[in-house]
Amino acid sequence: MEHPNVEDTYKTLSKVSSGLYKDRSSKFHYFAFPVKTEEEIKNHLADLRKTYYDARHHCFAWILGINGDSYRANDDGEPNHSAGDPILGQIRSNQLTNILIVVVRYFGGTKLGMSGLINAYKTAAAMAIEENEIIEEQVKSQLKISFSYPAMNEVMKLVKNQELNIIDQQMSLDCQMSLEMRQGLFEFVLNALQEIESLQILEVEE
């Protein structure tokens, strides 16, 4: 039984990166964060607003989810589409998700114009990504199973062959085991386990 090749990886950033980009005396402080929830995004934005409380603009864009279904771009007072969209464009052109980029601007007295603003925010976002590290992450699924001792060999063979991660196991009258795997293997592993005699699926977390 061959397992299917299901898309279950995504590209994101490995750490937080930050720096400063200057254009005609305006300062653009840029920050990139790996994130998994909107709650995390709100917390990062709140922290930056506290630290850079006197800045005129806190422009940002974020994308969440393996398919990048959830996203937002915010110009925070800059002309429409001059800040959030160029930041979002950099995230998309690097095919990243689960990422937040914030660019905090201090106005330097010289107006940059629409094309100047777009270029400045695009450059700051590109630098935030460049100075970070792009990594590939796997989406994980979990299963909890219970089986009698005679089935142990079959279970362990599946664990070894499919490189499943045993998170937890308890041995008493029967065996209980929590397994973690990449999401693309989930259906295959579930079907294989259901063919093992005496084995029960207790919990499923996709």
Side-chain angles (χ1 to χ4, degrees), residues 10 12 34-41 64-65 98-99 137-138:
Y10 59 91
T12 190
V35 288
K36 293 210 167 144
T37 63
E38 285 195 46
E39 193 60 35
E40 276 182 83
I41 290 167
L64 289 177
N98 289 4
I99 170 181
E137 290 271 25
Q138 290 178 353

Side-chain angles (χ1 to χ4, degrees), residues 21 23-24 26 28 78 82-83 86 105 110-124:
Y21 172 68
D23 187 349
R24 281 166 282 178
S26 271
F28 297 85
E78 293 282 32
S82 68
R105 181 190 182 195
T110 306
K111 290 197 171 178
L112 303 182
M114 190 69 172
S115 63
L117 282 174
I118 289 170
N119 185 59
Y121 281 103
K122 179 183 171 183
T123 303

Side-chain angles (χ1 to χ4, degrees), residues 85-129:
D85 282 354
I87 298 170
L88 187 66
Q90 286 305 300
I91 297 174
R92 287 211 166 118
S93 66
N94 284 279
Q95 298 173 308
L96 299 171
T97 189
N98 289 4
I99 170 181
L100 163 69
I101 294 181
V102 186
V103 180
V104 177
R105 181 190 182 195
Y106 284 89
F107 181 57
T110 306
K111 290 197 171 178
L112 303 182
M114 190 69 172
S115 63
L117 282 174
I118 289 170
N119 185 59
Y121 281 103
K122 179 183 171 183
T123 303
M127 287 167 78
I129 295 168

Side-chain angles (χ1 to χ4, degrees), residues 10-148:
Y10 59 91
K11 288 200 294 184
T12 190
L13 298 179
S14 71
K15 57 183 189 275
V16 177
S17 56
S18 62
L20 175 64
Y21 172 68
K22 291 180 187 172
D23 187 349
R24 281 166 282 178
S25 66
S26 271
K27 290 178 182 174
F28 297 85
H29 294 267
Y30 54 81
F31 306 86
F33 304 90
V35 288
K36 293 210 167 144
T37 63
E38 285 195 46
E39 193 60 35
E40 276 182 83
I41 290 167
K42 280 179 194 157
N43 292 340
H44 286 311
L45 289 169
D47 287 346
L48 288 173
R49 284 191 192 282
K50 271 185 218 157
T51 308
Y52 298 92
Y53 60 89
D54 55 344
R56 190 175 283 201
H57 307 284
H58 287 243
C59 306
F60 63 87
W62 54 261
I63 297 184
L64 289 177
I66 184 171
N67 300 313
D69 297 333
S70 196
Y71 62 89
R72 189 167 169 216
N74 189 314
D75 297 311
D76 193 35
E78 293 282 32
N80 280 355
H81 309 298
S82 68
D85 282 354
I87 298 170
L88 187 66
Q90 286 305 300
I91 297 174
R92 287 211 166 118
S93 66
N94 284 279
Q95 298 173 308
L96 299 171
T97 189
N98 289 4
I99 170 181
L100 163 69
I101 294 181
V102 186
V103 180
V104 177
R105 181 190 182 195
Y106 284 89
F107 181 57
T110 306
K111 290 197 171 178
L112 303 182
M114 190 69 172
S115 63
L117 282 174
I118 289 170
N119 185 59
Y121 281 103
K122 179 183 171 183
T123 303
M127 287 167 78
I129 295 168
E130 242 166 66
E131 290 162 28
N132 210 301
E133 181 195 8
I134 294 174
I135 53 169
E136 193 169 80
E137 290 271 25
Q138 290 178 353
V139 185
K140 304 286 190 183
S141 296
Q142 290 183 12
L143 276 173
K144 190 172 182 182
I145 56 175
S146 171
F147 53 91
S148 58

